[in-house]
Amino acid sequence: MKKYYLSTPSERITGFSVSAVMIVAMAVLVFAVREDLAVMILTAVGCVLVAAGLIYYSLNVVKAAVEPVPGEKKLLVHGIRSYTLDLTNAVRLETITVKSGQVTGRALHFSDAEGKTVGVVPTMFTSNNGLQAEPMAIELAKDLGLEFYANVPKWEYDEEARKAHEIEVAQQQKEEAKARREAKQKAKEAKIRQKMDEIRKEKQK
């Protein structure tokens, strides 16, 4: 079975790159305050804690993936801590919005025939509010033999669908503008006819 990563290649590269740059910057900071031993120790401790958090996050982004177990309705969830998710009762997969502070992402939500939650797997997709989780989840649902419920329009994450959507919206706006112009013209003509009728009635008197 295929392994499905829970982040894009660019997000994995960016995560490691940013972490590496920040760790180097913190090392430079510690070196810069080396003349004051107390300040250097406090700075070093703080930098080590931050560096540990960055490394943990980067490793989690790189390792985060799911892998269907061949011949079984189970899902291996890979990460810093890996585990197996039992999907025996699952019939549907969808992605749901999750928030962590100011960051909005999406999680894989498995449910049974009654709509009850069987399992939730957070993803590490961060760009565009985590919408790239949607096409990955579609393929995963096929592999697991589950129904996929789309919560996100395809044009929000697919480039070709987005272009087609933009053309459709532009055409709709054009038609609406035309309809408004025609309605305005008809109202103007009706007003003129009404005025002419009033003039004729006045003359007849």
Side-chain angles (χ1 to χ4, degrees):
M1 283 287 188
K2 179 181 177 181
K3 179 183 285 189
Y4 296 85
Y5 284 95
L6 303 180
S7 63
T8 63
S10 61
E11 286 171 335
R12 294 193 288 275
I13 293 171
T14 300
F16 255 117
S17 299
V18 171
S19 296
V21 169
M22 290 187 69
I23 289 172
V24 170
M26 287 187 290
V28 172
L29 177 61
V30 172
F31 181 77
V33 298
R34 67 188 183 283
E35 294 182 1
D36 189 321
L37 183 60
V39 173
M40 185 185 73
I41 292 174
L42 288 174
T43 303
V45 171
C47 289
V48 167
L49 292 175
V50 173
L54 288 170
I55 292 171
Y56 179 87
Y57 175 77
S58 298
L59 288 175
N60 205 27
V61 171
V62 171
K63 290 186 175 183
V66 290
E67 185 178 5
V69 177
E72 298 183 54
K73 212 166 181 183
K74 292 181 180 180
L75 188 69
L76 294 177
V77 183
H78 301 286
I80 296 297
R81 294 179 180 179
S82 298
Y83 62 94
T84 301
L85 181 63
D86 187 358
L87 299 176
T88 302
N89 297 322
V91 298
R92 188 170 82 168
L93 168 61
E94 62 186 308
T95 68
I96 57 174
T97 301
V98 292
K99 284 194 174 185
S100 178
Q102 298 299 316
V103 179
T104 300
R106 300 193 76 77
L108 304 177
H109 180 267
F110 299 90
S111 56
D112 62 17
E114 297 179 353
K116 295 180 181 178
T117 299
V118 173
V120 177
V121 180
T123 73
M124 305 301 289
F125 294 99
T126 55
S127 60
N128 196 22
N129 294 325
L131 292 180
Q132 287 305 314
E134 194 78 355
M136 180 276 295
I138 292 173
E139 294 302 315
L140 176 61
K142 290 179 182 177
D143 266 3
L144 291 169
L146 301 177
E147 171 196 355
F148 181 77
Y149 183 80
N151 286 321
V152 180
K154 188 176 181 179
W155 60 264
E156 288 199 19
Y157 58 83
D158 184 270
E159 184 65 20
E160 292 301 317
R162 182 184 64 79
K163 291 178 180 178
H165 175 71
E166 289 176 350
I167 292 173
E168 183 181 344
V169 170
Q171 182 62 31
Q172 184 178 355
Q173 291 175 341
K174 185 178 179 181
E175 291 174 356
E176 289 174 353
K178 182 181 178 181
R180 286 194 297 270
R181 288 195 302 269
E182 291 176 348
K184 187 176 180 180
Q185 182 64 28
K186 287 180 180 179
K188 185 177 180 181
E189 291 173 355
K191 190 174 181 181
I192 292 173
R193 284 195 299 269
Q194 182 181 7
K195 187 67 175 176
M196 291 178 69
D197 288 343
E198 290 175 355
I199 293 173
R200 281 196 298 268
K201 288 179 181 179
E202 288 293 328
K203 287 181 178 180
Q204 290 174 357
K205 290 180 181 178

